[in-house]
Amino acid sequence: MIGLISATAAGAAARDRLAAAWPDRTRVYEGPVGEAVRSAFSECEQLVCFLATGATVRLLAPLLAGKAADPGVVCVDEGGRFAVSLVGGHGGGANELAREVGELLGAEPVVTTATDAVGLAGLDTLGLPCEGAVAAVSRALLDGEPVALDAELAWPLPPLPVSPQGSYTIRLTDKDAEPGPREVLLRPPSLVVGVGASRGAPVDEVLGLIQETLREAGLSPRSVAELATVDAKSEEPGILAAAERLGVPVVTYSAEELAAVEVPNPSAAPLAAVGTPSVAEAAALLGGGELLVPKRKSDASPAMATCAVVRRPGRGRLAVVGLGPGARDLLTPRATAELRRASVLVGLDQYVDQIRDLLRPGTRVLESGLGAEEERARTAVEQARLGHAVALIGSGDAGVYAMASPALAEASDDIEVIGVPGVTAALAAAAILGAPLGHDHVSISLSDLHTPWEVIERRVRAAAEADLVVTFYNPRSRGRDWQLPKALGILAEHRAPTTPVGVVRNASRPDGSSRVSTLAGLDPASVDMMTVVTVGNTATRTVAGRMVTPRGYRWQNGRSEQPEATR
């Protein structure tokens, strides 16, 4: 919950805007400001104070306990110009909250955390438990001192400017180790503990067995991702309470699923009780991985709990990112976030140049030239399979005539794949032309490098006969100068010579240009590979120099179209 505190009418107005926008996230604190701050500080995870920074500091000072415990606090000035991350930038989420508040109120977010200021991923913001010399190692990264990454297992980390060797170390490990004086330990959620329990098994027995097993195996409880068991034990109090104390979820599987898992220590007892010869080992192994600790029983007599421990490999992450048509303001926030999250970027060199300034320090860039699409797709998938967080970029939407298809044809379910949509060239061009895509439409690439012309021609004829608005991608190049005239000729068999045709080159870019012509008047020689050609249907008209395709053919008869019940 976010506590909102204000002292003046102007502050209250901004406070109320925030409360109205986030009704489920916020709570307004009325009354004397000092009492309101004290109450919100103890009751909320975050605070937004519409007060002077100095006043907020004085009110907070007696309440501060430490960065691990303090809520995140954002201070907004009286004029609503700035949203200052004041306390708990990372741990309390104040840095991100300042950005959110700033976006909502039109204020400039002010973030002074050193790592955020230079675009470096904070070690305490990686989503992994960390311990050790976080401040010292972060300072070394900021100062450009060599910091080594000792990754004992592959995991998709965000980019970090690390070196092969260094006097400071970031160690990624699930082992129960103590950090050195110049070392940070990152704990990946790599361990799955399979658990079996008799009915009524006490939580102390279940939890004690898990903790003792991890300790003897030299494994860290902070790397336990989940407790796994059979469906029949999904409501077993001892298992649920043990998971709650460890701060992990309970994942359950059917007896049939568990019975199909080959285990080293099957037993007749669970087979008779729940229908599978193994619970602890099978539940831990079902998602794959290495069995680190075979089934063991608790020391109680009779033993009421069993457990086994498996290390699951980190799944690499492949984000296929659409960059949009080229203008920076048409690059989506989600795309920007994925670019900054990736430790490996794969892309066409000219596309990499468009977004190079957005990459975090330490991002490894693998770029290549035109014609290497399949190679880039394979490279991206290979890097993800090595456990990296990878972004594969393409222009427009990566799933439209771009990199998603070859990449996903290479990928299997051993990696995580995320698609990030982008604004396509057809949409960017349509917005410039007016509303040519107001009714059914189709996009067709005229490049026959990968598709036989016979197939392309059949698709153009089908679109012409169906009276679809057609957007032509890759319309003409130096070596392909006859395909566009041929396609326009096919459309002309079904449409009037005056049919509007829009031509947009470099849509949304500073050197972009556009014009509206006609099916008979368009000169194909004026078109190149940087151009998108949109041909209207029989209902498309030019209105005030803009292409307009009505949402229904009633427009032709002079009747307005009735609005749909839903959009």
Side-chain angles (χ1 to χ4, degrees):
M1 187 62 66
I2 304 171
L4 306 180
I5 300 103
S6 63
T8 66
R15 176 203 68 191
D16 292 343
R17 286 177 58 194
L18 211 60
W22 298 337
D24 298 328
R25 297 178 60 190
T26 57
R27 179 189 303 166
V28 173
Y29 284 79
E30 304 278 6
V33 171
E35 294 179 11
V37 169
R38 286 191 291 273
S39 298
F41 194 92
S42 64
E43 297 170 357
C44 298
E45 293 81 17
Q46 296 176 318
L47 282 71
V48 178
C49 297
F50 296 87
L51 307 167
T53 304
T56 306
V57 168
R58 285 190 292 273
L59 291 170
L60 291 175
L63 309 176
L64 299 177
K67 62 186 301 182
D70 295 333
V73 180
V74 170
C75 185
V76 179
D77 67 288
E78 184 76 5
R81 295 174 300 168
F82 303 103
V84 182
S85 174
L86 196 63
V87 173
H90 284 168
N95 291 351
E96 181 58 32
L97 180 60
R99 297 184 182 99
E100 289 187 83
V101 171
E103 182 176 354
L104 184 61
L105 299 180
E108 180 71 23
V110 179
V111 176
T112 58
T113 306
T115 50
D116 290 62
V118 299
L120 185 68
L123 297 177
D124 53 352
T125 67
L126 302 183
L128 303 178
C130 66
E131 53 194 89
V134 175
V137 174
S138 296
R139 186 165 54 250
L141 289 170
L142 290 166
D143 292 343
E145 296 187 46
V147 177
L149 175 63
D150 180 9
E152 297 179 1
L153 62 165
W155 209 263
L157 293 174
L160 294 168
V162 293
S163 306
Q165 294 181 328
S167 55
Y168 295 85
T169 305
I170 300 170
R171 183 180 173 192
L172 182 75
T173 181
D174 57 16
K175 295 178 181 177
D176 188 16
E178 290 294 326
R182 293 188 168 191
E183 184 177 54
V184 168
L185 300 184
L186 297 178
R187 302 294 192 185
S190 56
L191 304 178
V192 177
V193 180
V195 180
S198 302
R199 180 176 299 176
V203 59
D204 289 342
E205 183 173 345
V206 176
L207 183 60
L209 172 63
I210 294 171
Q211 292 173 331
E212 181 182 358
T213 299
L214 293 171
R215 183 170 56 253
E216 292 183 1
L219 299 170
S220 173
R222 302 191 76 184
S223 280
V224 175
E226 62 192 42
L227 302 188
T229 190
V230 66
D231 283 346
K233 299 298 178 181
S234 62
E235 301 296 329
E236 189 63 43
I239 295 177
L240 296 178
E244 183 179 2
R245 294 190 192 179
L246 290 169
V248 299
V250 176
V251 177
T252 63
Y253 303 100
S254 69
E256 291 76 15
E257 290 176 296
L258 297 182
V261 179
E262 185 176 344
V263 297
N265 299 294
S267 172
L271 179 61
V274 294
T276 173
S278 172
V279 172
E281 287 180 342
L285 284 167
L286 191 56
E290 175 190 4
L291 184 63
L292 300 181
V293 182
K295 180 182 72 175
R296 59 174 293 179
K297 298 180 180 180
S298 56
D299 294 332
S301 184
M304 299 184 71
T306 61
C307 80
V309 183
V310 163
R311 175 185 286 138
R312 288 185 183 169
R315 295 185 75 206
R317 189 176 191 276
L318 173 61
V320 187
V321 181
L323 300 181
R328 178 58 61 85
D329 59 353
L330 292 182
L331 178 69
T332 67
R334 187 180 301 180
T336 301
E338 288 294 344
L339 295 174
R340 296 176 65 77
R341 189 191 191 288
S343 60
V344 179
L345 182 84
V346 181
L348 179 67
D349 47 13
Q350 57 186 296
Y351 296 155
V352 173
D353 289 340
Q354 290 180 21
I355 48 84
R356 200 183 297 271
D357 62 301
L358 297 177
L359 304 180
R360 288 187 185 274
T363 305
R364 185 157 51 98
V365 177
L366 305 177
E367 53 189 312
S368 53
L370 287 168
E373 289 85 358
E374 293 182 6
E375 176 190 343
R376 285 195 291 274
R378 283 194 296 270
T379 297
V381 173
E382 289 168 0
Q383 290 294 315
R385 285 189 173 133
L386 292 174
H388 298 301
V390 182
L392 174 63
I393 60 174
S395 66
D397 183 286
V400 179
Y401 302 125
M403 295 305 302
S405 295
L408 269 60
E410 294 281 340
S412 55
D413 61 1
D414 58 340
I415 62 174
E416 182 183 4
V417 177
I418 297 94
V420 181
V423 178
T424 66
L427 294 178
I432 294 169
L433 294 171
L437 307 183
H439 208 290
D440 298 336
H441 54 274
V442 63
S443 295
I444 299 176
S445 171
L446 294 183
S447 172
D448 55 2
L449 295 177
H450 300 290
T451 305
W453 174 253
E454 293 77 13
V455 175
I456 297 173
E457 182 173 339
R458 189 165 65 247
R459 292 171 179 171
V460 175
R461 289 192 180 279
E465 293 171 1
D467 198 28
L468 297 173
V469 176
V470 181
T471 298
F472 288 124
Y473 279 72
N474 305 312
R476 185 178 182 275
S477 68
R478 293 178 181 176
R480 294 186 301 100
D481 59 359
W482 60 267
Q483 287 89 343
L484 178 59
K486 177 67 173 178
L488 294 175
I490 294 171
L491 293 176
E493 296 173 10
H494 300 267
R495 300 177 194 185
T498 56
T499 300
V501 177
V503 180
V504 180
R505 189 177 190 278
N506 283 337
S508 85
R509 301 186 185 187
D511 59 345
S513 63
S514 67
R515 67 185 187 278
V516 177
S517 182
T518 63
L519 193 53
L522 175 64
D523 179 11
S526 66
V527 173
D528 62 15
M529 285 289 286
M530 305 304 292
T531 305
V532 172
V533 177
T534 301
V535 182
N537 65 13
T538 57
T540 305
R541 298 289 184 269
T542 301
V543 180
R546 305 181 188 92
M547 286 180 69
V548 179
T549 301
R551 291 187 57 235
Y553 287 93
R554 296 177 184 176
W555 181 82
Q556 291 179 281
N557 300 324
R559 297 195 302 271
S560 61
E561 183 180 359
Q562 295 299 315
E564 294 180 356
T566 58
R567 300 292 184 190

